[in-house]
Structure formats: C-alpha cells, structure tokens
C-alpha cells in the first residue's frame, strides 16, 4: 500500500521505494557495500517507504529492516570464510533452464518448467538451506517496515509477493526467494513449492508502481527472454517517477568474479560496492530527493 511521507525539507510530500535485485552471495555483499557507502556520504536508502527484495535482495531487505546497524551488516561481509563452500549451477541444469526459457512462448509455463528442473536437480537439502538463512538473518520476524519478498510458484510459474500481511514466516519467504533453480531446493510454503523470485524478473521493480522516487540496486542488470531487466520494469511504471538503476561498475564486476555463489568473493564484492558508492552518490541523491 502506498504510504507517502514528507521529505526532510517538509515542503513536499513524496514516496520512496528501494528495489534490491538478485545476484547471489556476492550480490548481497555488493548491495550492502553500496548502501553503506551511500549512507556514509549522507544518502540513507534504508528509510524507504517500500523495500522490494528479490533473491539476494530479499536477504538484504530483511537485514536492513531488522534494526541491525548498517555498519555491522557490512562488517559481517568482511569476516573470513570458514565452513561455507562455493556452489555452481550444473551445466546440465543450465542447459535445461535455458531451453525452457528459449522454447516456451508462455512465460509462466517457462517458469513452471524451470520449477520442475529445480525440483529434480537441487544440490543441497532444505534443512541445510533453512539453517543458512536463519544464520544470515538477524531477525526471524517480519519488520514493521513495508518489506516485499518475491518468489515464483514452482508449479504454476506465477509470481508470489510475501509480506507481513501474507501468512509466511520471514525465513521461509527469504529462503524461497533465494532458491536458485538447479542449486537450491524449492521451498514449501502453505502447501506450495516456490523457487527464486529472480526467475520472474531480476529485480521485480514493477512492484514500485505508485511511488514517486525509485532506486534500484541491481547486481544483475540484464534481462533474458521472459525475464525482465530492471530498466524494462521501470519503463512501464505509471506516472513517470524519478528512477535510477545502479549496477556493478568495472571494478565491482572484477571483484565479484564469475561465480556469484562463491563466498570467497564476498569481502571483495562488499568493498567494491562501498567504493562504487562515491561514483553513484549524486545520481542516487538526485532521485532520492536529497
């Protein structure tokens, strides 16, 4: 629901949405780096009226609305990697997913086919993933802030948007949003199975419809087939809101590396995001109204 509020100057009434896209473990780190660097420069995006989180962005959204200081969340990204291992999408699953997306005209049916791939080729257990998510989230209850978490119904291919008013535990909703097909298992919620929200759109920025100012942090800025890019989502927003999409710059791309699910790249990605904030601060501040 739209909840406009007065800006800091108190002269106008505006509403702000922060959209956090998907991008794996390194995407979480990069987004927290960008948010930290911007806050240090005087532009705090965490007080948005609406926060939309997809996949990695759902983790970040849950973290920044938990009451945990942003500096602490950033510091966690710099800790040495211990028991975590790098995961990769198998080539066989990659081929099956690409074939489903390329050959199916109906986007929902394509996503449902991907859901079947996800169910058959997961490389970790649901129990393991739940424990990982519990450790990753500082709070396991929905925040009072308007946080929206996206996932895709693995049977129908339709998008689901979880929030405080929707009967789904926060940990399960975020776990579903992060269920990368072919790597992590689909997540059961309310008798239905869900996969990664990034299978609908890399950022689901269309959910910011009705807001005056929209900032999108997009570790993955491109679309593919029926998967809309953030720019495509924003182009269809009514009312022509002020928008900006921030994606990894050249240095950040190098820091992230080729495997977005490699925890060893977490610290470099976070540091690169923090450094990149200086480059994008003014474009973000103009949209944010500061």
């Amino acid at each position: 629901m739209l909840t406009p509020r007065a800006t800091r100057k108190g002269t106008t009434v505006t509403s702000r949405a922060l959209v956090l896209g998907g991008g794996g473990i390194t995407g979480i780190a990069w987004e927290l780096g960008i948010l930290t660097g911007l806050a240090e420069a005087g532009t705090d995006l965490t007080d948005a009226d609406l926060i939309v989180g997809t996949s990695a962005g759902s983790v970040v959204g849950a973290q920044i609305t938990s009451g945990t200081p942003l500096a602490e969340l950033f510091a966690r990204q710099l800790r040495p990697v211990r028991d975590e291992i790098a995961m990769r999408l198998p080539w066989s699953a990659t081929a099956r997913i690409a074939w489903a997306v390329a050959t199916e005209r109906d986007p929902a049916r394509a996503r449902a086919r991907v859901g079947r791939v996800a169910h058959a080729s997961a490389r970790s257990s649901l129990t393991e993933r739940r424990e990982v998510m519990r450790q990753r989230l500082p709070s396991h209850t929905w925040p009072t802030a308007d946080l929206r978490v996206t996932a895709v119904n693995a049977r129908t291919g339709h998008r689901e948007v979880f929030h405080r008013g929707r009967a789904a535990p926060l940990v399960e909703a975020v776990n579903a949003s992060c269920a990368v097909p072919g790597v992590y298992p689909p997540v059961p919620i309310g008798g239905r199975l869900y996969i990664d929200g990034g299978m609908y759109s890399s950022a689901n920025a269309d959910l910011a419809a009705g807001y005056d100012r929209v900032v999108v942090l997009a570790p993955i800025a491109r679309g593919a087939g029926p998967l809309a890019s953030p720019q495509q989502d924003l182009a269809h927003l009514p009312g022509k809101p002020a928008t900006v999409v921030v994606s990894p710059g050249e240095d950040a791309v190098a820091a992230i590396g080729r495997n977005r699910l490699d925890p060893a790249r977490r610290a470099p990605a976070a540091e690169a995001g923090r450094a990149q904030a200086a480059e994008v601060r003014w474009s973000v501040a103009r949209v944010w109204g500061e």
Side-chain angles (χ1 to χ4, degrees):
M1 181 177 181
L2 181 61
T3 54
R5 62 177 175 79
T7 63
R8 294 180 182 179
K9 294 181 180 180
T11 57
T12 59
V13 175
T14 189
S15 54
R16 298 166 170 170
L18 171 62
V19 178
L20 301 165
I25 291 174
T26 56
I28 295 171
W30 176 81
E31 288 180 0
L32 286 171
I34 285 280
L35 290 170
T36 299
L38 288 172
E40 291 170 342
T43 300
D44 184 3
L45 303 183
T46 66
D47 63 352
D49 299 297
L50 170 72
I51 296 177
V52 177
T54 294
S55 198
S58 71
V59 176
V60 176
Q63 289 177 335
I64 65 176
T65 56
S66 68
T68 306
L70 190 54
E72 180 178 333
L73 295 173
F74 177 79
R76 292 182 182 183
Q77 301 304 305
L78 307 183
R79 293 175 182 171
V81 175
R82 295 180 179 175
D83 299 328
E84 295 181 79
I85 61 173
M87 300 292 287
R88 289 184 181 274
L89 184 63
W91 284 110
S92 58
T94 301
R96 293 173 64 190
I97 291 171
W99 180 253
V101 171
T103 60
E104 182 59 68
R105 294 183 178 181
D106 184 328
R109 290 180 61 180
R111 291 188 288 269
R113 288 174 62 181
V114 172
R116 292 193 290 273
V117 173
H119 189 70
S121 57
R123 305 179 69 194
S124 61
S125 74
L126 188 57
T127 299
E128 291 172 341
R129 289 299 296 163
R130 282 176 174 150
E131 183 57 31
V132 167
M133 209 54 66
R134 288 191 183 100
Q135 294 180 15
R136 195 163 282 168
L137 302 187
S139 172
H140 297 169
T141 58
W142 284 95
T144 56
D146 191 358
L147 171 65
R148 306 298 172 103
V149 172
T150 67
V152 168
N153 186 307
R155 185 181 69 81
T156 66
H158 295 154
R159 180 175 65 185
E160 184 72 57
V161 182
F162 296 105
H163 50 85
R164 185 158 43 97
R166 172 74 163 78
L170 178 62
V171 172
E172 297 302 314
V174 173
N175 199 18
S177 189
C178 294
V180 179
V183 179
Y184 305 128
V187 176
I189 298 177
R192 298 180 177 89
L193 289 175
Y194 293 94
I195 59 174
D196 198 315
M199 291 309 303
Y200 185 91
S201 164
S202 63
N204 290 281
D206 62 299
L207 294 177
Y211 286 75
D212 303 310
R213 302 177 182 275
V214 183
V215 173
V216 182
L217 302 186
I220 300 175
R222 295 182 178 180
L227 308 181
S229 69
Q231 291 85 353
Q232 290 171 322
D233 282 340
L234 293 177
H236 293 94
L237 291 184
K240 296 183 179 180
T243 66
V244 63
V245 177
V246 179
S247 56
E250 184 176 342
D251 290 343
V253 169
I256 288 170
R258 294 187 176 184
N259 184 7
R260 297 177 182 274
L261 300 179
D262 184 357
R265 308 306 301 173
R266 184 168 51 209
E271 293 283 19
R274 186 181 187 184
Q276 187 181 348
E279 303 171 15
V280 302
R281 181 206 169 183
W282 296 113
S283 60
V284 172
R286 281 195 297 270
V287 168
W288 210 240
E290 296 181 346

